Amino acid sequence: MKNYEKKSLFTTISLFFIPLLILASVVLYMYHGDKVKDIEQNILYQMKDYTFDFKGDTFTLDIVQDDKQKKLFKIYHCEEGLCAYFQIPTTGPYLLKVIYDKKNYEKVYHEFLYDIFKFSIVIFFFLLFISVGFAIYSLRPMKEALRLLEDFLKDLIHDLNTPATSILLNSKLLRRRGDFEEIERIELSAKAISSLYKNLELITPNQISKDEEISLLELIDGKIELLQKLYPKILFTKNMQDVTIKSNKNAVDRIIDNLLTNACKYNKKNGQVIISTNNKKLIIEDTGLGIKNVKKVFQRYYKENDTGLGIGMSIVKQLCDILDINISISSIVDKGTKVELTFN
């Protein structure tokens, strides 16, 4: 199950399960109150029966002064436990106090609590089962729609590669007849389409190998050469050592390509991109527009303007996770963004 499917499933379960749980809790609370009253009322009737023959050792007796505040035939919670007052068939100002021992009452009450606890556990899992079933059923149309979308993307990716490759090959053939600026523009546009194709191809990356030797300096130089033609007004500044890492070259190429392209695309006019290394850390800084919500930047299809598809940074995060590369982003709006890649 994919991450967005898990998130949708848990959200749907919560939205259905929590209200049901609250409703069940209210019902159980009301049931608890009524049941406690029933237990006390039953004990009160047993007390009344006890006053007729005084048989058994369930209750104890006491004679107390009648102060007109003690109501007859009513349960009170007293220090000894439960007690009730009954009229003595005499003319004196005294009442008969019948006492139900506190320990006995606590035993009955705890037995009732244990029963209601077992019932609550059953209700809890029953509601959870219903909620999970409802969530799975309600997500079926979404999963079907996403499956169709993924199939469409796979077909689109397959069909996109052919014309992009054809344009690049034909532009190289045209160069033999003459070197024109228009041909270079066509090549750059075709390479941009090819880069988009590679991003789409890695929307759902599988497990990839990490055993290739990669020179970061060589990789960065190749990217700068291309991006300098696409963004001639951007100033690239390098402060790099020739760091070599062991990873997957195609995947690292995709990560750096997306980060440098974003640094150029969302930069200011005559802006700057600064690339540096520090041991096994690659740092890419720009003087661009900045990111308003850094926490959402890795979410698929999230974008803060009308340009782009919103998949590049999602792919970057997926590839970083697979390759055990730590990525961190800090940004200030209208000042720029800093991305740090730490290679293990």
Side-chain angles (χ1 to χ4, degrees):
M1 185 178 288
K2 299 179 177 64
N3 288 333
Y4 59 84
E5 291 180 334
K6 291 179 182 177
K7 186 177 180 180
S8 298
L9 179 65
F10 290 136
T11 301
T12 307
I13 290 173
S14 299
L15 289 174
F16 191 72
F17 177 68
I18 292 175
L20 284 178
L21 187 62
I22 293 173
L23 179 61
S25 300
V26 172
V27 172
L28 285 173
Y29 177 78
M30 296 173 65
Y31 171 76
H32 169 270
D34 290 340
K35 189 64 177 178
V36 168
K37 290 180 180 178
D38 288 343
I39 292 172
E40 292 180 354
Q41 197 69 20
N42 183 48
I43 292 173
L44 180 63
Y45 280 106
Q46 291 180 34
M47 287 177 172
K48 184 179 180 181
D49 293 338
Y50 178 73
T51 59
F52 291 127
D53 53 18
F54 303 111
K55 290 182 180 180
D57 56 358
T58 306
F59 305 101
T60 57
L61 295 173
D62 194 8
I63 305 296
V64 296
Q65 187 84 23
D66 186 1
D67 56 6
K68 306 300 182 182
Q69 294 183 357
K70 298 181 178 67
K71 294 183 179 179
L72 302 179
F73 201 65
K74 179 182 177 181
I75 284 288
Y76 288 92
H77 287 264
C78 53
E79 292 182 4
E80 301 93 332
L82 295 184
C83 57
Y85 300 97
F86 298 90
Q87 188 72 51
I88 297 178
T90 63
T91 56
Y94 298 101
L95 294 175
L96 183 64
K97 181 180 180 181
V98 181
I99 303 166
Y100 186 66
D101 186 68
K102 187 175 184 179
K103 291 183 179 179
N104 292 335
Y105 175 70
E106 288 179 348
K107 181 180 178 182
V108 173
Y109 180 70
H110 288 156
E111 288 176 353
F112 160 67
L113 281 184
Y114 181 68
D115 290 339
I116 202 172
F117 175 75
K118 291 191 295 183
F119 183 68
S120 300
I121 295 296
V122 173
I123 291 295
F124 176 86
F125 283 105
F126 177 71
L127 294 179
L128 184 61
F129 176 77
I130 291 178
S131 301
V132 172
F134 174 79
I136 293 173
Y137 179 78
S138 63
L139 289 177
R140 285 176 62 187
M142 185 196 74
K143 290 182 69 175
E144 181 65 21
L146 289 172
R147 187 188 64 78
L148 292 174
L149 179 60
E150 287 182 356
D151 290 342
F152 169 74
L153 280 175
K154 288 177 183 176
D155 294 338
L156 177 65
I157 292 167
H158 180 268
D159 293 338
L160 185 63
N161 187 40
T162 303
T165 305
S166 177
I167 293 171
L168 281 172
L169 290 173
N170 282 284
S171 63
K172 289 180 180 179
L173 293 174
L174 285 173
R175 274 189 179 276
R176 297 178 181 177
R177 301 183 181 181
D179 195 3
F180 302 102
E181 185 180 347
E182 289 80 2
I183 296 177
E184 184 176 5
R185 290 176 184 172
I186 292 172
E187 283 185 341
L188 291 174
S189 298
K191 288 179 180 178
I193 295 173
S194 179
S195 178
L196 175 61
Y197 160 74
K198 290 177 181 178
N199 275 346
L200 291 172
E201 195 175 34
L202 290 170
I203 281 182
T204 53
N206 298 317
Q207 191 70 26
I208 53 181
S209 62
K210 299 177 280 187
D211 54 0
E212 297 177 279
E213 297 286 338
I214 306 165
S215 169
L216 291 181
L217 182 60
E218 183 181 333
L219 195 60
I220 293 292
D221 284 340
K223 295 299 174 185
I224 291 178
E225 183 181 355
L226 174 61
L227 291 170
Q228 193 71 77
K229 296 177 181 179
L230 289 171
Y231 302 95
K233 294 184 179 181
I234 296 294
L235 175 63
F236 289 89
T237 303
K238 287 193 305 178
N239 181 20
M240 294 183 63
Q241 298 175 346
D242 192 7
V243 177
T244 301
I245 61 170
K246 198 169 186 179
S247 190
N248 183 279
K249 188 173 183 179
N250 184 47
V252 174
D253 180 270
R254 286 292 84 220
I255 292 170
I256 294 176
D257 182 82
N258 276 290
L259 294 177
L260 287 177
T261 301
N262 284 347
C264 296
K265 187 188 299 184
Y266 303 111
N267 215 317
K268 297 177 181 176
K269 188 177 181 180
N270 299 319
Q272 187 178 10
V273 176
I274 306 161
I275 308 160
S276 58
T277 55
N278 182 6
N279 294 327
K280 291 287 186 177
K281 183 178 290 186
L282 175 66
I283 304 166
I284 300 173
E285 300 178 73
D286 65 64
T287 57
L289 304 176
I291 302 170
K292 296 176 183 177
N293 196 332
V294 176
K295 292 182 179 179
K296 290 186 177 181
V297 75
F298 293 126
Q299 293 181 9
R300 185 170 294 178
Y301 309 124
Y302 174 76
K303 52 184 182 177
E304 296 184 346
N305 49 58
D306 295 332
T307 60
L309 299 174
I311 61 173
M313 292 305 293
S314 172
I315 292 170
V316 166
K317 186 64 170 70
Q318 285 181 292
L319 291 175
C320 284
D321 290 343
I322 292 172
L323 298 175
D324 296 323
I325 301 171
N326 182 55
I327 180 170
S328 62
I329 299 179
S330 57
S331 184
I332 300 175
V333 177
D334 294 329
K335 287 191 176 181
T337 300
K338 180 179 180 180
V339 182
E340 296 185 5
L341 295 175
T342 305
F343 300 92
N344 297 319

